[in-house]
Amino acid sequence: MIALLFPGQGSQTAGMLHRLPDHPAVHQTLEEVSTELGYDVLTLDSADALHSTVPVQLALLTAGVAAARALEAEGIIPEAVAGLSVGAFAAAVHAQVITLADGVRLVKQRAELMEQYSPEGYGLTAIVGLKEDQVIALIMEANNPDDPVYLGNVNSADQIVISGSLTGMQKVANAALQAGARKVERLDVAVLSHSPLLQPVADVLAQTLQTTRLGLPRMLYIGNIKSRALRTPAEIAWDLANNIAHGVRWYESMIVLQELGCTLFIETPPGHVLTNLAKQSVPDARSIALADSSLSYVIHQASRHAG
């Protein structure tokens, strides 16, 4: 079985849309997104544009859907999809739970609300080399009402992302290094993410999704918050709306996909973050990043795998 993985914010790079495969399905996707936005989507991937979270999230949605469509046009249809954070919207589009037009509308609203509700002096930090329970203990020690810090994403068994105030995160980072963490790093995300402070954003998205036409997923869809296969439109809509206010259990998602029978993971552009995590979390499976390979190579490998 093949699982298609859609990356989230932090994986963006300048020129990412211009480096997509030269394929009719890609060109069609760029046209559709441009029509929905009312301007050329290719203006979103400049270095200057990517300083803002709105272009970043829209570009990631576009890249993910375009690449997935190109693969499908060549006969590569995954049995499962999963997207990290905003990548979940691309996964939902490819699973035909939402249309691309609605995906653009929802992601644009999500990013704009994140900018509106994200307080100054907050962000995300990755801690590498400690287990989840160790990081939780450090968070509990550092957290206070003036400088809150929260558990964010669990990307792998020993790569944990925390969210919150810069001061609170620095306290946890310093303590993590003293506790043996190999690395701590502020993430390239311009706004707060995966924090209960963004529940107002989730509430608005939930209202929008209530008026959005949803379809049954045509393939396995793995959610962000509980890392389980979601089989109804209502379950997927709840996960899409609320993942911004909760941490993403990505490590568990990879384990679940493997347990469901997925043995080949293909990551859509622009990067290879999810590929590296898959190689670490499910080393028995094969993992390929389209950004690091030609479309023809990925198609060949997927065809051999399916055969």
Side-chain angles (χ1 to χ4, degrees):
M1 289 174 56
I2 298 173
L4 203 55
L5 309 180
F6 298 85
Q9 196 164 345
S11 61
Q12 69 274 6
T13 57
M16 54 184 279
L17 297 178
H18 289 77
R19 292 193 298 272
L20 289 171
D22 183 10
H23 190 280
V26 170
H27 302 315
Q28 177 63 32
T29 302
L30 295 176
E31 290 180 12
E32 288 182 35
V33 176
S34 296
T35 298
E36 184 64 26
L37 291 174
Y39 56 84
D40 188 354
V41 69
L42 289 175
T43 63
L44 295 179
D45 70 352
S46 69
D48 287 342
L50 293 178
H51 287 305
S52 168
T53 195
V54 177
V56 167
Q57 294 194 36
L58 287 169
L60 289 169
L61 172 72
T62 303
V65 173
R69 286 180 169 183
L71 288 169
E72 177 156 346
E74 300 299 327
I76 308 304
I77 302 175
E79 285 81 11
V81 292
L84 196 157
S85 191
V86 71
F89 289 84
V93 170
H94 199 57
Q96 296 181 355
V97 178
I98 57 176
T99 65
L100 177 56
D102 283 334
V104 171
R105 180 166 58 95
L106 286 160
V107 168
K108 185 172 183 290
Q109 181 183 50
R110 180 184 192 266
E112 290 173 346
L113 288 169
M114 286 173 66
E115 288 188 334
Q116 177 182 341
Y117 281 94
S118 292
E120 290 292 329
Y122 282 69
L124 301 173
T125 297
I127 298 173
V128 180
L130 298 183
K131 304 296 185 182
E132 180 181 355
D133 59 346
Q134 294 176 285
V135 175
I136 289 174
L138 298 179
I139 289 172
M140 292 177 64
E141 185 175 343
N143 189 38
N144 65 73
D146 294 328
D147 295 305
V149 59
Y150 308 95
L151 180 71
N153 300 346
V154 181
N155 288 337
S156 71
D158 68 348
Q159 185 184 121
I160 314 297
V161 176
I162 59 174
S163 68
S165 69
L166 300 184
T167 301
M169 289 194 302
Q170 190 61 53
K171 289 179 183 177
V172 175
N174 292 341
L177 289 171
Q178 292 179 355
R182 298 192 302 274
K183 180 181 179 182
V184 296
E185 181 181 7
R186 278 284 311 281
L187 299 185
D188 183 18
V189 178
V191 292
L192 181 63
S193 302
H194 306 295
S195 165
L197 297 177
L198 294 183
Q199 188 60 48
V201 176
D203 293 340
V204 175
L205 287 172
Q207 292 175 0
T208 301
L209 280 157
Q210 286 179 356
T211 61
T212 301
R213 185 174 181 177
L214 306 174
L216 286 169
R218 63 178 177 139
M219 55 196 58
L220 285 170
Y221 179 98
I222 307 300
N224 274 208
I225 299 172
K226 296 181 180 179
S227 301
R228 295 294 181 266
L230 305 180
R231 305 181 188 279
T232 69
E235 289 177 317
I236 294 172
W238 183 88
D239 194 75
L240 287 172
N242 284 280
N243 74 23
I244 194 59
H246 295 76
V248 176
R249 313 286 305 182
W250 189 256
Y251 172 63
E252 293 170 23
S253 295
M254 294 299 96
I255 300 301
V256 167
L257 282 168
Q258 185 181 48
E259 290 175 346
L260 290 171
C262 293
T263 53
L264 175 62
F265 295 87
I266 301 174
E267 180 179 0
T268 64
H272 47 250
V273 171
L274 301 185
T275 300
N276 292 341
L277 290 174
K279 289 178 179 178
Q280 178 182 349
S281 300
V282 285
D284 293 339
R286 179 89 186 276
S287 302
I288 305 173
L290 186 52
D292 295 338
S293 310
S294 67
L295 179 63
S296 59
Y297 174 80
V298 174
I299 292 168
H300 177 67
Q301 294 300 314
S303 298
R304 287 181 57 192
H305 185 85

